[in-house]
């Protein structure tokens, strides 16, 4: 059983930065794509970013391109999401996600139903 634990959320002013972390346990994720999703109140869950197993290939949602960066360290079984130039519209609960199949690419993460999701971390951006 895979457990994903997010941390690093909080309250930040517009234009500020936050770095989210996702620590995985229960199974090595070094051979799997990892991703981030978010969900704001009253809205559907939205794809944010994904990174393939090696870290070479990344994929981002249109609303965060150029502002967010996803990275990973397989030795630490950890994935990060660096969020810069934050906007009030980025306010949401952010979830770390992992697919059940090692064949899932970063480009497929937006359209699959992740097998594993963390409990989420709240990010609030004030104007």
């Amino acid at each position: 059983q895979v457990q994903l634990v997010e941390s690093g959320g909080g309250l930040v002013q517009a234009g500020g930065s936050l770095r989210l972390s996702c620590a995985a346990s229960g199974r090595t994720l070094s051979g799997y794509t990892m991703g981030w999703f978010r969900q704001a109140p009253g809205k559907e869950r939205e794809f944010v970013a994904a990174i393939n197993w090696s870290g070479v290939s990344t994929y981002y949602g249109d609303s965060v391109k150029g502002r967010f960066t996803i990275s990973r360290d397989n030795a630490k079984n950890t994935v990060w999401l660096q969020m810069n130039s934050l906007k009030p519209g980025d306010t949401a609960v952010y979830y770390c996600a992992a697919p059940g199949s090692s064949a899932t690419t970063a480009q497929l993460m937006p359209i699959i139903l992740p097998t594993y999701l963390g409990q989420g971390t709240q990010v609030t951006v004030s104007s």
Side-chain angles (χ1 to χ4, degrees):
Q1 184 70 14
V2 175
Q3 289 187 323
L4 304 174
V5 179
E6 303 95 338
S7 61
L11 174 64
V12 64
Q13 288 188 333
S17 298
L18 281 175
R19 191 190 195 202
L20 305 183
S21 298
C22 171
S25 62
R27 183 190 78 187
T28 179
L29 295 174
S30 61
Y32 291 78
T33 290
M34 295 292 294
W36 290 91
F37 289 79
R38 67 186 183 186
Q39 188 165 19
K43 295 187 177 180
E44 293 187 352
R45 190 169 64 199
E46 177 188 12
F47 169 76
V48 176
I51 186 167
N52 78 325
W53 69 273
S54 68
V56 170
S57 177
T58 58
Y59 193 64
Y60 296 93
D62 288 341
S63 61
V64 306
K65 281 180 183 176
R67 299 187 298 121
F68 291 11
T69 302
I70 188 171
S71 60
R72 68 188 297 166
D73 185 332
N74 289 333
K76 297 180 179 179
N77 236 16
T78 300
V79 179
W80 295 276
L81 184 68
Q82 178 67 42
M83 304 185 296
N84 298 330
S85 301
L86 283 162
K87 306 174 182 179
D90 294 318
T91 295
V93 177
Y94 283 72
Y95 299 91
C96 180
S101 171
S102 60
T104 301
T105 64
Q107 288 74 16
L108 286 177
M109 282 294 281
I111 61 174
I112 70 162
L113 184 65
T115 300
Y116 304 105
L117 276 178
Q119 83 289 348
T121 185
Q122 176 70 47
V123 172
T124 303
V125 184
S126 63
S127 57

Short mmCIF file of all heavy atoms in Angstrom, two decimals, residues 51-83:
data_model
loop_
_atom_site.label_atom_id
_atom_site.label_comp_id
_atom_site.label_asym_id
_atom_site.label_seq_id
_atom_site.Cartn_x
_atom_site.Cartn_y
_atom_site.Cartn_z
N ILE A 51 5.57 14.46 -13.50
CA ILE A 51 6.98 14.23 -13.83
C ILE A 51 7.18 12.74 -14.02
O ILE A 51 6.67 11.93 -13.24
CB ILE A 51 7.89 14.80 -12.73
CG1 ILE A 51 9.35 14.71 -13.12
CG2 ILE A 51 7.63 14.14 -11.38
CD1 ILE A 51 10.28 15.53 -12.22
N ASN A 52 7.91 12.37 -15.07
CA ASN A 52 8.09 10.95 -15.32
C ASN A 52 9.10 10.35 -14.34
O ASN A 52 9.71 11.05 -13.53
CB ASN A 52 8.50 10.70 -16.77
CG ASN A 52 9.97 10.98 -17.03
OD1 ASN A 52 10.54 11.88 -16.45
ND2 ASN A 52 10.56 10.19 -17.90
N TRP A 53 9.30 9.05 -14.42
CA TRP A 53 10.06 8.35 -13.39
C TRP A 53 11.51 8.86 -13.28
O TRP A 53 12.08 8.89 -12.21
CB TRP A 53 10.07 6.85 -13.67
CG TRP A 53 10.87 6.49 -14.91
CD1 TRP A 53 10.42 6.45 -16.19
CD2 TRP A 53 12.26 6.15 -14.94
NE1 TRP A 53 11.44 6.10 -17.04
CE2 TRP A 53 12.59 5.91 -16.31
CE3 TRP A 53 13.25 6.02 -13.99
CZ2 TRP A 53 13.87 5.55 -16.71
CZ3 TRP A 53 14.53 5.66 -14.38
CH2 TRP A 53 14.83 5.43 -15.73
N SER A 54 12.09 9.27 -14.40
CA SER A 54 13.49 9.70 -14.38
C SER A 54 13.64 11.18 -14.08
O SER A 54 14.74 11.65 -13.81
CB SER A 54 14.14 9.40 -15.73
OG SER A 54 13.58 10.22 -16.75
N GLY A 55 12.55 11.93 -14.16
CA GLY A 55 12.63 13.36 -13.97
C GLY A 55 12.94 14.14 -15.23
O GLY A 55 12.99 15.37 -15.21
N VAL A 56 13.14 13.43 -16.33
CA VAL A 56 13.50 14.10 -17.58
C VAL A 56 12.30 14.77 -18.23
O VAL A 56 12.41 15.85 -18.82
CB VAL A 56 14.13 13.08 -18.56
CG1 VAL A 56 14.30 13.69 -19.94
CG2 VAL A 56 15.48 12.61 -18.02
N SER A 57 11.15 14.14 -18.13
CA SER A 57 9.95 14.65 -18.79
C SER A 57 8.96 15.20 -17.78
O SER A 57 8.61 14.54 -16.80
CB SER A 57 9.28 13.52 -19.60
OG SER A 57 8.09 13.98 -20.20
N THR A 58 8.52 16.42 -18.02
CA THR A 58 7.51 17.05 -17.16
C THR A 58 6.35 17.55 -18.00
O THR A 58 6.48 17.76 -19.21
CB THR A 58 8.10 18.22 -16.36
OG1 THR A 58 8.65 19.18 -17.27
CG2 THR A 58 9.18 17.76 -15.41
N TYR A 59 5.22 17.76 -17.35
CA TYR A 59 4.02 18.21 -18.05
C TYR A 59 3.22 19.05 -17.09
O TYR A 59 3.10 18.70 -15.91
CB TYR A 59 3.22 16.99 -18.51
CG TYR A 59 2.13 17.29 -19.51
CD1 TYR A 59 2.44 17.77 -20.77
CD2 TYR A 59 0.79 17.06 -19.20
CE1 TYR A 59 1.45 18.03 -21.69
CE2 TYR A 59 -0.21 17.32 -20.12
CZ TYR A 59 0.13 17.80 -21.36
OH TYR A 59 -0.86 18.06 -22.29
N TYR A 60 2.68 20.18 -17.58
CA TYR A 60 2.00 21.13 -16.71
C TYR A 60 0.61 21.50 -17.23
O TYR A 60 0.38 21.53 -18.45
CB TYR A 60 2.83 22.41 -16.57
CG TYR A 60 4.15 22.19 -15.91
CD1 TYR A 60 5.30 21.93 -16.66
CD2 TYR A 60 4.27 22.25 -14.52
CE1 TYR A 60 6.52 21.72 -16.04
CE2 TYR A 60 5.50 22.04 -13.90
CZ TYR A 60 6.61 21.77 -14.67
OH TYR A 60 7.83 21.56 -14.05
N GLY A 61 -0.27 21.81 -16.31
CA GLY A 61 -1.54 22.37 -16.70
C GLY A 61 -1.34 23.78 -17.23
O GLY A 61 -0.41 24.48 -16.83
N ASP A 62 -2.21 24.21 -18.12
CA ASP A 62 -2.04 25.51 -18.77
C ASP A 62 -2.02 26.65 -17.76
O ASP A 62 -1.30 27.64 -17.95
CB ASP A 62 -3.17 25.73 -19.78
CG ASP A 62 -3.04 24.86 -21.01
OD1 ASP A 62 -1.92 24.35 -21.26
OD2 ASP A 62 -4.05 24.68 -21.71
N SER A 63 -2.77 26.54 -16.70
CA SER A 63 -2.89 27.65 -15.76
C SER A 63 -1.64 27.85 -14.90
O SER A 63 -1.50 28.91 -14.27
CB SER A 63 -4.10 27.44 -14.85
OG SER A 63 -3.94 26.25 -14.09
N VAL A 64 -0.72 26.90 -14.89
CA VAL A 64 0.46 27.02 -14.04
C VAL A 64 1.78 27.03 -14.83
O VAL A 64 2.85 27.19 -14.24
CB VAL A 64 0.52 25.90 -12.98
CG1 VAL A 64 -0.78 25.85 -12.19
CG2 VAL A 64 0.81 24.55 -13.62
N LYS A 65 1.69 26.85 -16.13
CA LYS A 65 2.91 26.83 -16.95
C LYS A 65 3.71 28.10 -16.77
O LYS A 65 3.16 29.20 -16.78
CB LYS A 65 2.54 26.66 -18.43
CG LYS A 65 2.19 25.26 -18.84
CD LYS A 65 1.83 25.20 -20.32
CE LYS A 65 1.41 23.80 -20.73
NZ LYS A 65 0.97 23.75 -22.15
N GLY A 66 5.01 27.93 -16.59
CA GLY A 66 5.89 29.07 -16.44
C GLY A 66 5.98 29.59 -15.02
O GLY A 66 6.83 30.43 -14.71
N ARG A 67 5.12 29.11 -14.14
CA ARG A 67 5.13 29.58 -12.74
C ARG A 67 5.47 28.45 -11.77
O ARG A 67 6.09 28.70 -10.72
CB ARG A 67 3.76 30.16 -12.38
CG ARG A 67 3.36 31.36 -13.22
CD ARG A 67 2.07 32.01 -12.69
NE ARG A 67 0.94 31.11 -12.72
CZ ARG A 67 0.23 30.77 -11.64
NH1 ARG A 67 0.54 31.26 -10.46
NH2 ARG A 67 -0.80 29.95 -11.76
N PHE A 68 5.05 27.24 -12.08
CA PHE A 68 5.27 26.09 -11.20
C PHE A 68 6.32 25.17 -11.81
O PHE A 68 6.41 25.04 -13.03
CB PHE A 68 3.97 25.30 -11.02
CG PHE A 68 2.90 25.99 -10.21
CD1 PHE A 68 2.97 27.34 -9.87
CD2 PHE A 68 1.79 25.27 -9.78
CE1 PHE A 68 1.98 27.97 -9.15
CE2 PHE A 68 0.79 25.87 -9.05
CZ PHE A 68 0.88 27.22 -8.74
N THR A 69 7.07 24.50 -10.94
CA THR A 69 8.07 23.53 -11.37
C THR A 69 7.97 22.28 -10.51
O THR A 69 8.01 22.37 -9.28
CB THR A 69 9.48 24.11 -11.26
OG1 THR A 69 9.58 25.31 -12.03
CG2 THR A 69 10.51 23.11 -11.77
N ILE A 70 7.85 21.15 -11.16
CA ILE A 70 7.81 19.87 -10.45
C ILE A 70 9.17 19.21 -10.55
O ILE A 70 9.85 19.30 -11.58
CB ILE A 70 6.71 18.95 -11.03
CG1 ILE A 70 6.53 17.70 -10.16
CG2 ILE A 70 6.97 18.61 -12.48
CD1 ILE A 70 5.31 16.85 -10.54
N SER A 71 9.58 18.56 -9.46
CA SER A 71 10.87 17.87 -9.45
C SER A 71 10.76 16.67 -8.52
O SER A 71 9.78 16.53 -7.77
CB SER A 71 11.99 18.81 -9.00
OG SER A 71 11.74 19.31 -7.69
N ARG A 72 11.77 15.80 -8.57
CA ARG A 72 11.73 14.61 -7.72
C ARG A 72 13.13 14.14 -7.38
O ARG A 72 14.09 14.45 -8.11
CB ARG A 72 10.96 13.49 -8.42
CG ARG A 72 11.64 12.91 -9.65
CD ARG A 72 10.72 11.95 -10.39
NE ARG A 72 10.38 10.79 -9.59
CZ ARG A 72 9.39 9.95 -9.89
NH1 ARG A 72 8.61 10.18 -10.95
NH2 ARG A 72 9.15 8.90 -9.13
N ASP A 73 13.20 13.39 -6.30
CA ASP A 73 14.43 12.73 -5.89
C ASP A 73 14.05 11.29 -5.57
O ASP A 73 13.45 11.02 -4.52
CB ASP A 73 15.05 13.43 -4.68
CG ASP A 73 16.39 12.84 -4.30
OD1 ASP A 73 16.63 11.63 -4.56
OD2 ASP A 73 17.21 13.56 -3.71
N ASN A 74 14.39 10.37 -6.46
CA ASN A 74 13.97 8.98 -6.26
C ASN A 74 14.65 8.34 -5.05
O ASN A 74 14.07 7.46 -4.41
CB ASN A 74 14.25 8.17 -7.52
CG ASN A 74 13.31 8.54 -8.66
OD1 ASN A 74 12.18 8.99 -8.44
ND2 ASN A 74 13.78 8.38 -9.89
N ALA A 75 15.84 8.76 -4.76
CA ALA A 75 16.54 8.20 -3.60
C ALA A 75 15.82 8.55 -2.31
O ALA A 75 15.86 7.79 -1.33
CB ALA A 75 17.97 8.73 -3.56
N LYS A 76 15.14 9.69 -2.31
CA LYS A 76 14.39 10.13 -1.13
C LYS A 76 12.91 9.81 -1.23
O LYS A 76 12.14 10.11 -0.30
CB LYS A 76 14.58 11.63 -0.91
CG LYS A 76 16.00 12.04 -0.63
CD LYS A 76 16.11 13.55 -0.42
CE LYS A 76 17.54 13.95 -0.11
NZ LYS A 76 17.68 15.42 0.07
N ASN A 77 12.50 9.23 -2.37
CA ASN A 77 11.08 8.93 -2.59
C ASN A 77 10.22 10.16 -2.36
O ASN A 77 9.15 10.10 -1.73
CB ASN A 77 10.62 7.79 -1.67
CG ASN A 77 10.03 6.62 -2.45
OD1 ASN A 77 10.21 6.51 -3.67
ND2 ASN A 77 9.31 5.77 -1.76
N THR A 78 10.69 11.28 -2.89
CA THR A 78 10.04 12.57 -2.64
C THR A 78 9.85 13.33 -3.94
O THR A 78 10.71 13.28 -4.83
CB THR A 78 10.87 13.41 -1.66
OG1 THR A 78 11.00 12.70 -0.42
CG2 THR A 78 10.20 14.76 -1.39
N VAL A 79 8.73 14.03 -4.02
CA VAL A 79 8.41 14.89 -5.15
C VAL A 79 8.11 16.28 -4.61
O VAL A 79 7.50 16.42 -3.54
CB VAL A 79 7.19 14.37 -5.92
CG1 VAL A 79 6.84 15.29 -7.09
CG2 VAL A 79 7.44 12.96 -6.43
N TRP A 80 8.53 17.30 -5.33
CA TRP A 80 8.29 18.68 -4.91
C TRP A 80 7.52 19.44 -5.98
O TRP A 80 7.58 19.11 -7.17
CB TRP A 80 9.61 19.41 -4.68
CG TRP A 80 10.42 18.86 -3.55
CD1 TRP A 80 10.28 19.16 -2.22
CD2 TRP A 80 11.50 17.94 -3.63
NE1 TRP A 80 11.21 18.47 -1.48
CE2 TRP A 80 11.97 17.71 -2.33
CE3 TRP A 80 12.11 17.27 -4.69
CZ2 TRP A 80 13.03 16.85 -2.05
CZ3 TRP A 80 13.16 16.42 -4.42
CH2 TRP A 80 13.61 16.21 -3.11
N LEU A 81 6.83 20.47 -5.53
CA LEU A 81 6.18 21.39 -6.45
C LEU A 81 6.56 22.80 -6.01
O LEU A 81 6.09 23.27 -4.97
CB LEU A 81 4.66 21.23 -6.44
CG LEU A 81 3.90 22.10 -7.44
CD1 LEU A 81 4.21 21.66 -8.87
CD2 LEU A 81 2.40 22.07 -7.19
N GLN A 82 7.41 23.44 -6.77
CA GLN A 82 7.80 24.82 -6.51
C GLN A 82 6.79 25.74 -7.19
O GLN A 82 6.62 25.66 -8.41
CB GLN A 82 9.20 25.10 -7.04
CG GLN A 82 9.67 26.53 -6.86
CD GLN A 82 9.86 26.91 -5.40
OE1 GLN A 82 10.40 26.14 -4.62
NE2 GLN A 82 9.39 28.09 -5.02
N MET A 83 6.17 26.58 -6.40
CA MET A 83 5.11 27.45 -6.93
C MET A 83 5.55 28.90 -6.76
O MET A 83 5.72 29.38 -5.63
CB MET A 83 3.80 27.20 -6.19
CG MET A 83 3.36 25.74 -6.22
SD MET A 83 1.74 25.47 -5.47
CE MET A 83 2.08 25.95 -3.79
#
